[in-house]
C-alpha cells in the first residue's frame, strides 16, 4: 500500500500527522513549517520540512533559531526523509544534539472488517474534561503544558475520536484516533499503570481499527519512540509495519 522508497507516500503521512496534531501557532517560511506549542511534544515545537528538500541555506537556519528563541523555546528541527540530506550534519556542527528518535508505522485495513463494537469501549467526537482527566491519570501532563495540549486537541480540524476502554467501572486505557482522507492516525495511546500487562491497549486499538473501517478508513498509521519496546511489540501484533524514521535535533 505504501513504500519507504516512494517519497510521496512519506509526504502523505507527514501531511496527515501535521493535520492531526495542529500546533496553536506557526510560521511558514521557504517550505518550512515552524510550530510552537509552549513546549508540549516535539512535533508541535519544531521546524518541519513541508515538501522534499535538497538544501537549506544558513539564513533559514538562523531565522528558525531566532524565532524559537523569541518564543522562549530551544531551537529544534524535526529530521525526516523530507529534510535536506545533510541537515543533520550541519546542525551538529552548530551544536545540536539528537533529542529523540521515532518510527512511523502503518498498516492497510483491507484485512479488517467492521464488527460489533466492544461494549467496554466508549468513543466520543469531542474532547471533554472526563476524557482529559482519565488520560492524565494514565500519563501525567505537567500543568504548565496543559493550555498547549488543550489547544492542540481542540484545534483538530479533521475527525477526531476520543476513545476509552472501561473495566470495573473505570477507564483503564485511552487513545485518540484522527480520521482524515481515508486514514486513521493513532495518538495518545495509554494504559493505567496498575492495569498494564493485561492487553488493554491492544483490545482498545483492535476495536478502534474495526470501527474506523466502518467509517471508511483504508489505512492506519502511528508514531512510536525507537526505545519503546512494549509499544513496538503491541503494534507489531496489530499488524503495523515500519515506513520511515524521524528524529529531533535540538540546540542546547
Amino acid at each position: 500500500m505504501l513504500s519507504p522508497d516512494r517519497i510521496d507516500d512519506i509526504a502523505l503521512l507527514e501531511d496527515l500527522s501535521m493535520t492531526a496534531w495542529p500546533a496553536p501557532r506557526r510560521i511558514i517560511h521557504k517550505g518550512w513549517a515552524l510550530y510552537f506549542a509552549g513546549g508540549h511534544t516535539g512535533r508541535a515545537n519544531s521546524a518541519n520540512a513541508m515538501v522534499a528538500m535538497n538544501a537549506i541555506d544558513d539564513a533559514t537556519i538562523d531565522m528558525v533559531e531566532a524565532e524559537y528563541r523569541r518564543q522562549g523555546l530551544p531551537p529544534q528541527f524535526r529530521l525526516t526523509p523530507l529534510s535536506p540530506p545533510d541537515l543533520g550534519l550541519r546542525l551538529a556542527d552548530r551544536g545540536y544534539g539528537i533529542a529523540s528518535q521515532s518510527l512511523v508505522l502503518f498498516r492497510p485495513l483491507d484485512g479488517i472488517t467492521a464488527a460489533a463494537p466492544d461494549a467496554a469501549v466508549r468513543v466520543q467526537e469531542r474532547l471533554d474534561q472526563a476524557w482529559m482527566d482519565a488520560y492524565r491519570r494514565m500519563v501525567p501532563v505537567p500543568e504548565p503544558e496543559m493550555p498547549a495540549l488543550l489547544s492542540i486537541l481542540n484545534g483538530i480540524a479533521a475527525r477526531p475520536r476520543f476513545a476509552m476502554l472501561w473495566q470495573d467501572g473505570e477507564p483503564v486505557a485511552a487513545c485518540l484516533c484522527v480520521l482524515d482522507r481515508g486514514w486513521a492516525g493513532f495518538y495518545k495511546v495509554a494504559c493505567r499503570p496498575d492495569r498494564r500487562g493485561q492487553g488493554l491497549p491492544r483490545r482498545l486499538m483492535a476495536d478502534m481499527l474495526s470501527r474506523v473501517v466502518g467509517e471508511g478508513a483504508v489505512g492506519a498509521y502511528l508514531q512510536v519512540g525507537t526505545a519503546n519496546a512494549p509499544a513496538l511489540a503491541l503494534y507489531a501484533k496489530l499488524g503495523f509495519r515500519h515506513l520511515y524514521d524521524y528524529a529531533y535535533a535540538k540546540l542546547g
Side-chain angles (χ1 to χ4, degrees), residues 31-246:
W32 289 88
L34 285 60
Y35 296 119
F36 310 97
H40 182 75
T41 73
R43 179 179 299 275
N45 294 275
S46 58
N48 293 260
M50 299 173 65
V51 295
M53 293 188 173
N54 292 321
I56 182 173
D57 54 45
D58 287 333
T60 297
I61 298 176
D62 292 341
M63 176 266 186
V64 169
E65 292 179 354
E67 290 299 331
Y68 278 93
R69 291 190 178 106
R70 187 172 66 85
Q71 295 283 340
L73 296 168
Q76 183 168 233
F77 284 81
R78 185 165 163 270
L79 306 178
T80 75
L82 302 183
S83 305
D86 66 343
L87 181 56
L89 291 175
R90 291 180 62 190
L91 294 177
D93 289 342
R94 284 176 171 247
Y96 284 72
I98 298 301
S100 64
Q101 297 176 293
S102 295
L103 309 176
V104 176
L105 311 180
F106 82 101
R107 66 151 297 164
L109 298 180
D110 50 2
I112 294 178
T113 57
D118 188 329
V121 175
R122 302 180 189 178
V123 183
Q124 57 199 60
E125 297 183 10
R126 294 185 180 276
L127 176 68
D128 63 14
Q129 194 63 48
W131 190 94
M132 195 73 255
D133 289 346
Y135 176 80
R136 293 184 75 186
R137 287 194 290 272
M138 301 174 201
V139 180
V141 180
E143 196 61 39
E145 295 183 19
M146 281 303 299
L149 175 56
L150 292 173
S151 179
I152 291 168
L153 296 177
N154 286 315
I156 299 171
R159 294 183 289 158
R161 301 290 183 265
F162 297 91
M164 286 191 294
L165 174 66
W166 287 68
Q167 189 179 73
D168 302 325
E170 298 178 317
V172 292
C175 74
L176 163 65
C177 179
V178 180
L179 293 164
D180 182 17
R181 288 166 274 180
W183 284 83
F186 284 88
Y187 299 82
K188 297 298 186 187
V189 180
C191 182
R192 223 172 71 178
D194 63 335
R195 301 295 179 95
R196 289 174 183 161
Q198 300 179 33
L200 301 177
R202 182 179 181 182
R203 176 179 173 183
L204 174 60
M205 287 192 64
D207 179 71
M208 290 302 297
L209 288 170
S210 177
R211 289 178 190 244
V212 299
V213 167
E215 294 200 66
V218 297
Y221 71 92
L222 51 82
Q223 298 94 28
V224 59
T226 55
N228 192 340
L232 288 168
L234 164 65
Y235 301 140
K237 290 176 182 176
L238 288 167
F240 285 86
R241 56 183 186 265
H242 176 246
L243 185 64
Y244 64 96
D245 304 346
Y246 67 85

